[in-house]
Amino acid sequence: MIAPLFFCFPRFAAALAAGLSFASLLHAKENMPDSAIIADFEDVGTWRTRPVHGTPPEAWFSANISLASSVGEHAHGNYVGEIKFMFAGTGKDANEITLEREKMSRISAFIHAIEFEADAKGHDLSLAFDIVDSANRVFRTARVPLTGNGWKTRHLDVNADTVPNFSELRFPAVIRKIHVYSDVPGTGSAFIDDLRIIGRVSRAQKITIFPRYDGLAHEPGKPVVLTYRLRNASAQPLAGQLSLDVQEAAGGPTRSLVKPFALPASGESDVSVTLDGLSVGSYTVQMKAVSGDIASAYLDFFAVFTPNGHRINRTPMWLGVQDQTTWQGEAETKLHVSWMQALGADLTRVGLSGDRIEPVRGRYDAPEFGHMLDWYADAGIDVCMLYTDAVPRWTQAKPKWKEPPTDYEAFAEHAGHVGSFLAAHHNVKYLEFWNEPDLEFFKGTTEDYLKMLGTFGPPFKAAAPGIKLLTGGMTIIHPAEKKVFSKTVIQHPELYDLAAFHSHGTVGDYATRHTLVEKWLSETGRTRRLVNTEAGARSGYDIPGALSQASTLVQKITYAKSRQDCEFYAWFILQDYWDMDALADDSLGLVTSDNRPKPSFVAYNELIRRLANTEPMAEVTLNPDLQTYAFRNLDNGHIIYVCWPKSGKSSVRFWAGATGAYVLSDMFGREQSLATGSGPALVTVARLPVYLESTRPDDRLGPVSAESTFFNLPESVVAGSTASIPLQFHNLWGTETQFTAVARNTAGTELGRAAVGLPAGGATELALKVATPSSHSFGSEDLLVTIATTGGAVKQVVVPVTLQHAYPVLPVSRVADASSAPTIVLDQAADVHELAFDPFRAAWRGPDDLALKSRLTHDAHTLFLSFDVTDSKHVQTQPPDQMWKQDCVQIAFNTTDGRLTELNLGLSNAGPAIWCSQASDPKLKGRWNFPVTVTRTGKVTAYRAEIPLAQLGLTAGDRPVPFRFALVVNNDNGEGRVRIMQWFGGIALHKNPDEFGFGSLE
């Protein structure tokens, strides 16, 4: 398994501390423990900070209480950690803040000691650490004094003298949180670097790999130099080889390189590779460092493209991205601003609460926040200000976070102050009034929110007439929404300028919400433009997920841009922030937490370049299986089509014609010319969005009939032991012509050949028989079919065709007859995905630990599901809608007309259940009352279910009916959902039907 992108990395051990009363680790070198750095601040990140005691009202994260990468001091590398504090209390334990970063907690160990370098800058502080053990219990260490001036090594032994209840601590363990204390009031900064744990780490963490940051883009046409820092946590020197497999994110040939490395004991070394001849695109590097029995892996992304470099769009819809600006230190925010500028973003969404803007009545200068706004202004980036989560405490009789004010007169005064403050910053163009108030982010009622908005609006608009007021960004459709909250607010357009909503997930989810808001507004008889202030999609931590995220980004923003009433779109978010929430999947960013550009960053850069300064055109159809949106460039009149296959279609092929030439570009910017002006051109759109752009003004693509093209063949065919590719040939020339079709696999092996001669004007249909290995696993296989003509014309075209090796769903009379069907078996290590990376946790031990045997059959009306799961321990205590968190089976279907259904089967706390978690028709979501049983015998849990075919959008016919599906087995052995087994992707790691396997109703 490739190590996830969020791992931290060990480094060399520093000299042992002087001046502390804790015992030193003085052993012979060969007996010395490992030294693993868990935070060196080189990733320019910020830790989440929480006030506990003694912080004054004007203190807030990250303005003046934080731990963030900084260049304010120097120890090792380019960055150190700066602890900003602001304390007002006096006396022991009067002042405390906590610091945490989940990224720090990715390395577990048998911890002997904690070390770090520090310069207290003359302040009198102390630090303690929360250690979380393998049973998820928290142990607080003794405090380490942080005093004096100059860089010194601090050392804390972890034992019964420094950790209360140490005898109960079960290793391995992680450091989860740092506590900062001061017995005296004060404001200032202290600095730390190279926080490390001393002890025993796993072999997988003795060598770590981290990419050196050199910008997000490599210049096209120039050599690409990639540099990686390798660290050795062991007290012994290590030598070995670093292997690198480089490939385009969308697939293709792999370049394999091997580089030797030598690492000093508890030290580090850089390894560089140079790549030539790379075209524009997004690339992945799968790496493995091996030294004897020590091995570690890392997945990297890099990109070759030209950044837009500055804002290029001059007209709505504005193209934006949100950043966690007020959760970041200065160095991180300034780096992110440079990324947004490179991207060409029009605006960013920045959140801040009312009690931070005006913590004390009449004091609303907020200098730290003002500086952030100025950095965006200098980069030419506008701001949507998110006012959220807390009103000033002085507007409430009893301060309560997330609750409305009680003194509305004071709140109106505050609204005017907010307007005055923001109006002084010319790049603030919008204010969004609260984040998702329809959920738990707002503790009041619908009536409370309307009163707040009605009170806030007039004084705010009076003070800031140039700033548009938005509703709170609402989820529109959410199981936890306050009843009819979203609709009620939207249908009070007199209270706001723009209607704001959120939509994570697919373009279908987005379109449903957008059109619903439009409907609600139309019912009022008044118009308002719409904005999407938070709309993204997760990538997960693998290549398919990253590619899917990029595709979803293009689809969602294209759809939003196609709506005449959309004011702006803010992608959520700029960078992953896995470091914020324990065990969360916060992979929504365009950039990894290691500052590497995902495919989505490159795709957004290209989308801005293509769709900036365009206007949407009427809906078009280039092919019924293709989702297509058309735009006209306002500067040159060129027509731009954005296309992708509809759900259920892996690829779409069509002939296109125009007066002049067209340019076809993939979503990363790689172009090829289409000679559409010289005759019909064949266009294949496979999986991912493409752009089709004219080279002349107002030159639209026109329909081309099959008879006017010299050949036609399908994008995909279903394969058994043999496959048949239907071909159509038309002789468009005045003399007899010979037509030949040859099918080859990607290795170049010929698999089939067909030939025919046609007289002038003749036409025929024939089948190209293709031999396929009978042992091929269910899935897909890419073929290349070469069409060649001789005689009347000499032409040669190479066309891709996908062979779908479909699982045959055989007809039976009852579910008990399923034994006659072929079996899907999951019992190999390659089928397993570990979700909770812990090198000391027991991994999958073989088929007796977890395995699946599955059969699908049907009769004329019903699909019979049979799953036998071998599991060493069955754990399921969840309600039906949460079964996926523990032992259960998930199966998802996608029909050829795009109908998507995802089902969970399990023994819930309410008995055996079928729960529909995803459905194209929202009315189908929820519990399904169809026959289902879950029985356990020994180690085997048998799941049986009967689902009407019509419920899934399937109908059995005289011919095989193709569809796509995928399976997941969720596993909880009492330690949480730690692993899954899956038959094809698209369910558990990220929702993407393009990753499903193939099936066929026989």
Side-chain angles (χ1 to χ4, degrees), residues 832-850:
V832 179
H833 289 264
E834 301 288 347
L835 299 177
F837 181 84
D838 184 342
F840 298 101
R841 187 190 299 272
W844 181 77
R845 295 182 294 274
D848 287 341
D849 188 16
L850 186 69

Side-chain angles (χ1 to χ4, degrees), residues 578-624:
W578 176 272
D579 47 288
M580 290 298 180
D581 296 297
L583 301 181
D585 177 0
D586 290 322
S587 61
L588 293 144
L590 306 174
V591 182
T592 74
S593 64
D594 289 340
N595 303 329
R596 309 300 275 182
K598 296 186 198 176
S600 53
F601 189 96
V602 191
Y604 202 0
N605 186 82
E606 185 65 19
L607 182 143
I608 291 173
R609 179 174 296 152
R610 297 284 175 178
L611 298 188
N613 306 310
T614 63
E615 61 179 358
M617 299 171 61
E619 189 171 343
V620 297
T621 300
L622 297 180
N623 182 284

Side-chain angles (χ1 to χ4, degrees), residues 897-943:
D897 62 356
R899 186 162 171 176
L900 178 66
T901 310
E902 182 182 306
L903 303 177
N904 304 334
L905 281 72
L907 184 61
S908 73
N909 61 10
I914 305 171
W915 184 271
C916 178
S917 57
Q918 299 286 327
S920 299
D921 182 355
K923 297 185 182 68
L924 294 179
K925 291 184 179 180
R927 188 164 184 171
W928 284 10
N929 295 316
F930 301 117
V932 57
T933 61
V934 182
T935 57
R936 185 164 172 85
T937 305
K939 286 187 174 182
V940 178
T941 305
Y943 301 82

Side-chain angles (χ1 to χ4, degrees), residues 878-885 904 908 915 917:
Q878 297 288 338
D881 65 325
Q882 300 296 309
M883 288 188 298
W884 62 271
K885 294 180 178 178
N904 304 334
S908 73
W915 184 271
S917 57

